[in-house]
Amino acid sequence: QLSMFGSRAEAVKYPAQFCASGLNLYFPITSNVPVLSRHASFFPQGFPMESVLVKVVSFIAVIVVGYLLKRVGFFRSEDFRLIAGLVLKVTLPCAIISNFTRIDVDAALFVLVLLGLGCNLVTVAAGWLASKRGDSAEQAFNIINFSGYNVGCFALPFLQSFVSPMGVVAACIWDTGNSIMCTGATYSIAAAVAGKNEGGGARLFFRRMFASVPMDVYVAMTILAFLGWKLPPQVLGFTDMVGAANPFLAMLMIGIGFELKLAPGSGLHIAKTLFCRYLIAAALAFLFYNYLPFDQEVRKVLAILAFAPLSAVCTIYTALCLNDPGRVALSCTLNSLSIVCSVTFMTVLVVWL
């Protein structure tokens, strides 16, 4: 079935056309879509432009299926951890390896690490300013839940289906800076604001950061890229097959973890948080796309990343920092609603940029 792509390399380039089970799936749209054709320059030559919306709908359908299967009892809430572990420790690292190995990484791209850090610092500052008149618990909550980007489990599987390996690698490098904040720095800031002292210092921070398998793979593949070393084809054959499952499993995981727990009077807080978050995202996307000195595809990827949903660890760190069930439930709801918002905004950017 690879013949429909012309070559195996092209098939690997667009792994969303493969199902997690290993069966090759292709989503053609036979009707002509003139609106989309005007924006075909976003995609590499030969990309099946007419299938873009079908792929997005397919992602949403998998999320819905995961949620419905949990509601009918096929999955339990505890299964979220199992599938999340599979995504973060197996399929996502394989997808990263496959994409890093297929390109020569430009050293200039490593500036994106600082951009990933900077985006988080901007949202941390916004969270603090939004609750400046509140108590320390509210400030800590906003610092955690205004910031962080879910790249590994959402944005990267999403982008993996629409951009070339260069775009995926740019997202991975940007996520390195994002991960530094998400895996400890943001929590440390919030804990200090809340007056919580856990000790551990830099040692605890680095232990948290490098406990993340994707982060370890980012670092390892970056070192290999600097050295100019390539992994053998036998390894790539395995990582291609496993990495192709990443979009499906990541979306299924999001569906299983989707929860809405709206407490009375929390609607305004949720609306304010999401409005601020995506207003900042729009400003960052505008700056990234129009003013950064990178190739067009990299700038578009960065603009899309600005609209990634809240990091999955926000709820975890809210619980650790505040130990308040009401705020934990609010964080969980914010996280789930951010996924709905991000699907919408990221789809619009994929189609129209």
Side-chain angles (χ1 to χ4, degrees), residues 15 36 60 85 93 104 116 132 194 230 263 291 298 308 320 329 349-350:
L36 296 180
I60 297 171
D104 294 321
K132 188 177 180 180
K230 299 288 186 181
Y291 296 107
V298 173
L320 289 174
L349 290 178
V350 163

Side-chain angles (χ1 to χ4, degrees), residues 120 147-150 177-187 311 313 317:
N120 278 268
S147 64
Y149 296 84
N150 189 343
N178 173 57
S179 296
I180 290 172
M181 296 296 293
C182 290
T183 55
T186 299
Y187 172 72
S311 171
V313 301
Y317 284 144

Side-chain angles (χ1 to χ4, degrees), residues 28 49 84 90 105 113 140 179 236 241 251 254 257 291 304 313-314 336:
M49 186 62 194
V90 182
V105 180
V113 175
S179 296
L236 288 180
M241 179 183 67
M251 297 304 121
I254 288 169
Y291 296 107
I304 293 171
V313 301
C314 289
S336 295

Side-chain angles (χ1 to χ4, degrees), residues 42 45 50 64 74-75 87 93 104 115 165 168 187 202 204 210 227-228 233 238 240 257 277 304 316 318 328:
F42 173 79
Q45 186 176 4
E50 294 83 359
V64 172
F74 185 85
F75 288 119
V87 169
D104 294 321
L115 281 179
V168 174
Y187 172 72
L204 178 61
F210 287 102
L227 297 175
F238 173 79
D240 289 345
R277 165 81 178 198
I304 293 171
I316 297 172
T318 299
V328 172

